[in-house]
Amino acid sequence: MTQPILQVSNLHKSYAGNEVLKGVEFEVRKGQVKAVLGPSGSGKSTMLRLMALLEPADGGSIRLRGETIGTTVRNGRTVHLPERALARQRQDIGMVFQRFNLFPHLDACRNVMLGLTSVQRISHREARERAMEMLGRVGLDHRAGHYPSELSGGQQQRVAIARALVLNPDVMLFDEPTSALDPELVGEVLEVMEKLAADGMTMIVVTHEVRFASRVADEVTLFDGGVIVEQAAPEEFFNNPRHERTRKFLSHVH
Amino acid sequence: MLFDPEIFIQQLLSPAYLWGAFISVAVAVLSLLLATGIGFFVALGRTSPKRSWQAPAGAYVWFFRAIPALLVLLIMWNALPQMFPVFRQDWYTPFVAAVVGLGLVEAAFMAEIIRSALQSVDEGQSLAGRALGMSPAQVMLKVTLPQAIRVALPPTGNEFIGLVKYSSLASVISLRELLTTAQVGVNITFRYAEYYAAAIIYYLIIVTALTLLQSAVEKKFTWTSRTTVKKTKAPAKAGL
């Protein structure tokens, strides 16, 4: 098997004395799609934020292509990198948020361009071309001049996917990408993600969409109480779960 | 009624009034610019997680919100030159003292406006900017600030208008702005109504112009494509 692209080990995180992650081990290989399920408050979204380097871990390590990110060892002690160094490392990890978080003061095209022009220092003209191409891939090139307030939730989330994708990340993290959407808009976003998976993108998807997980994911993970309870291929996970907690969780969502 | 329209019109069109109005607006514009600059950094200090930044920023707001602007102007013009020879030189005019004095006071208020504007921007915005790999400065300049400016514009317009009127306080340090111009004329002619009426007209014109300017700037921050959006049914198919 190839080396994992993104790997966390013994990941710990507490908020105000409340331990949310209790030593999580998780990895994703190139081209793999991993779905992460679990009740709310189980720590699955926290793991994504830590992997995206948006928050510092309390303990454990995160490795991208085998190299430790987020922290460094100085004088024998592990220390968090400063924000500027983290910013550089974040470019290789794409993040899609539950509430889209598009920039309301920029139209769809400029939302996609901003990372290219400000982070990768690509010329305005080339950035526009690449942004338009990416908007085409999510089926929204005809909405390029529209501002987020003029787009539906599903369209906003597709622009957000294009915004992360245009920077050519090694891995894409999705934090409940369809949870804030009206039911009739969920399909268009899942469709984009499914095509992305088929194109070979490495993806970690925290989701409540059991059908999407069973159809698209290579592996399904159940989070509960800050630890990983079960991890298996979809058929195995849904039809023949090994753990009682998985069975209980599935009985609630089915 | 004793009101001579001729005197009123004559004063209204006199170069002295025009100059006085210009000085009032110039003091307001420059002190607002100074206040916005200082206020931005004070606001950054107030919202910083570091106590070593919070404390001086908090002290600044506390101090300058407490001291009357009139007292600050008197200190600027009378006390400073007595204490430091630098302020006895030619460059230190009533105009400079008024701009700096009002700017320092106003900065405390602008800091609070900017602070609340920065805090009004959704947390997810800087999160998204950081996730793209933007540096803290880029997140501030390209994501947070443009959205904060929109929130800060209406109260800043208020402050701007306030400053035009506060500039009349500078009469105590012998700056010949609009109100002082009227007062000087009254002292000679005793035509109160005509001279004050002329001042009213100027203040109305200035504030009207500022109000129009404010709504024009606010329009720039509406963030919609101004083209008429055709009601075509968006195809839900994604062409990935």
Side-chain angles (χ1 to χ4, degrees):
Chain A
M1 270 289 241
T2 50
Q3 195 192 34
I5 282 214
L6 188 61
Q7 180 180 34
V8 301
S9 62
N10 199 23
L11 205 59
H12 285 269
K13 181 71 179 176
S14 301
Y15 293 105
N18 179 26
E19 200 173 21
V20 183
L21 294 182
K22 301 171 181 170
V24 171
E25 309 280 337
F26 188 82
E27 61 176 48
V28 63
R29 290 169 196 284
K30 189 166 168 51
Q32 216 180 14
V33 177
K34 282 210 166 189
V36 180
L37 306 179
S40 40
S42 59
K44 54 197 196 304
S45 289
T46 303
M47 181 183 73
L48 275 203
R49 281 172 175 241
L50 262 51
M51 288 195 297
L53 304 180
L54 293 172
E55 283 179 49
D58 295 341
S61 70
I62 306 165
R63 271 181 289 176
L64 184 69
R65 280 177 268 119
E67 290 188 29
T68 300
I69 56 170
T71 56
T72 185
V73 177
R74 205 170 286 150
N75 301 330
R77 279 180 53 221
T78 302
V79 292
H80 294 292
L81 287 170
E83 182 70 17
R84 285 192 65 88
L86 293 176
R88 268 193 297 278
Q89 297 182 342
R90 286 187 195 117
Q91 290 178 52
D92 298 327
I93 302 168
M95 180 88 177
V96 173
F97 300 90
Q98 183 178 354
R99 289 179 53 245
F100 333 132
N101 298 357
L102 286 186
F103 306 126
H105 58 297
L106 302 175
D107 64 27
C109 187
R110 283 175 178 274
N111 261 281
V112 181
M113 285 168 65
L114 190 60
L116 292 173
T117 53
S118 65
V119 178
Q120 299 193 345
R121 307 249 173 231
I122 284 169
S123 78
H124 199 81
R125 218 173 119 191
E126 197 194 328
R128 179 166 288 277
E129 263 170 41
R130 283 177 54 184
M132 286 305 293
E133 189 195 318
M134 201 51 74
L135 283 173
R137 281 182 69 185
V138 299
L140 283 173
D141 39 350
H142 63 296
R143 285 277 186 273
H146 286 61
Y147 283 77
S149 64
E150 301 165 324
L151 299 172
S152 73
Q155 291 174 335
Q156 287 187 57
Q157 192 61 298
R158 281 149 67 194
V159 173
I161 292 171
R163 177 176 69 176
L165 210 52
V166 81
L167 296 176
N168 261 326
D170 290 325
V171 52
M172 287 278 286
L173 312 180
F174 294 84
D175 187 8
E176 302 196 23
T178 57
S179 296
L181 293 174
D182 291 336
E184 75 271 21
L185 301 175
V186 170
E188 62 185 86
V189 173
L190 292 183
E191 198 179 337
V192 166
M193 289 168 62
E194 202 172 330
K195 281 180 181 159
L196 198 54
D199 285 351
M201 176 53 81
T202 312
M203 295 162 62
I204 301 173
V205 185
V206 168
T207 185
H208 293 297
E209 296 289 333
V210 172
R211 287 237 302 279
F212 175 81
S214 66
R215 204 176 60 229
V216 181
D218 302 305
E219 206 166 43
V220 184
T221 303
L222 181 77
F223 248 76
D224 197 8
V227 290
I228 286 172
V229 175
E230 179 146 3
Q231 197 154 203
E235 317 82 74
E236 193 73 10
F237 184 93
F238 290 108
N239 301 328
N240 193 17
R242 261 181 292 169
H243 295 265
E244 183 53 35
R245 268 200 281 181
T246 312
R247 251 170 257 148
K248 226 170 147 187
F249 177 77
L250 289 176
S251 72
H252 286 305
V253 293
H254 267 316
Chain B
M1 197 180 80
L2 202 66
F3 188 91
D4 189 339
E6 215 168 289
I7 295 176
F8 167 69
I9 298 288
Q10 190 190 30
Q11 288 311 311
L12 195 63
L13 302 176
S14 74
Y17 264 92
L18 203 59
W19 182 247
F22 173 74
I23 293 292
S24 286
V25 173
V27 167
V29 170
L30 294 176
S31 55
L32 185 71
L33 287 177
L34 182 66
T36 308
I38 299 172
F40 177 68
F41 287 101
V42 173
L44 285 185
R46 295 266 283 164
T47 52
S48 162
K50 291 184 192 136
R51 277 195 64 86
S52 55
W53 283 63
Q54 273 178 29
Y60 186 96
V61 172
W62 167 75
F63 185 80
F64 280 104
R65 279 209 300 195
I67 311 300
L70 192 58
L71 180 55
V72 172
L73 288 179
L74 289 170
I75 291 169
M76 292 291 301
W77 188 241
N78 297 325
L80 285 187
Q82 216 168 47
M83 290 158 68
F84 308 103
V86 171
F87 296 105
R88 280 174 234 152
Q89 291 166 9
D90 283 348
W91 65 269
Y92 198 62
T93 60
F95 183 80
V96 173
V99 166
V100 175
L102 290 176
L104 287 174
V105 173
E106 185 59 29
F109 294 90
M110 283 307 295
E112 289 297 276
I113 289 175
I114 294 167
R115 176 173 72 101
S116 65
L118 288 174
Q119 286 174 339
S120 77
V121 178
D122 187 75
E123 263 188 316
Q125 290 295 306
S126 59
L127 211 56
R130 288 166 64 213
L132 289 179
M134 295 171 80
S135 69
Q138 285 175 330
V139 170
M140 175 54 74
L141 287 176
K142 297 187 170 165
V143 176
T144 308
L145 206 52
Q147 298 181 56
I149 288 173
R150 171 155 103 155
V151 179
L153 275 177
T156 302
N158 261 347
E159 295 299 311
F160 199 178
I161 288 168
L163 275 172
V164 171
K165 295 186 277 189
Y166 266 127
S167 69
S168 63
L169 290 177
S171 61
V172 298
I173 59 172
S174 69
L175 180 69
R176 271 191 96 136
E177 40 64 59
L178 185 52
L179 189 61
T180 313
T181 306
Q183 197 55 45
V184 168
V186 163
N187 289 344
I188 301 164
T189 63
F190 297 102
R191 305 300 299 218
Y192 293 103
E194 294 83 351
Y195 277 75
Y196 289 155
I200 287 176
I201 299 296
Y202 271 103
Y203 279 118
L204 286 175
I205 291 171
I206 292 169
V207 171
T208 306
L210 291 184
T211 308
L212 292 175
L213 177 72
Q214 186 187 336
S215 57
V217 176
E218 279 178 27
K219 254 195 204 115
K220 287 215 162 213
F221 281 81
T222 44
W223 308 331
T224 50
S225 54
R226 251 152 259 141
T227 52
T228 43
V229 183
K230 269 182 268 167
K231 281 268 170 198
T232 48
K233 234 183 137 215
K237 281 248 186 309
L240 200 87

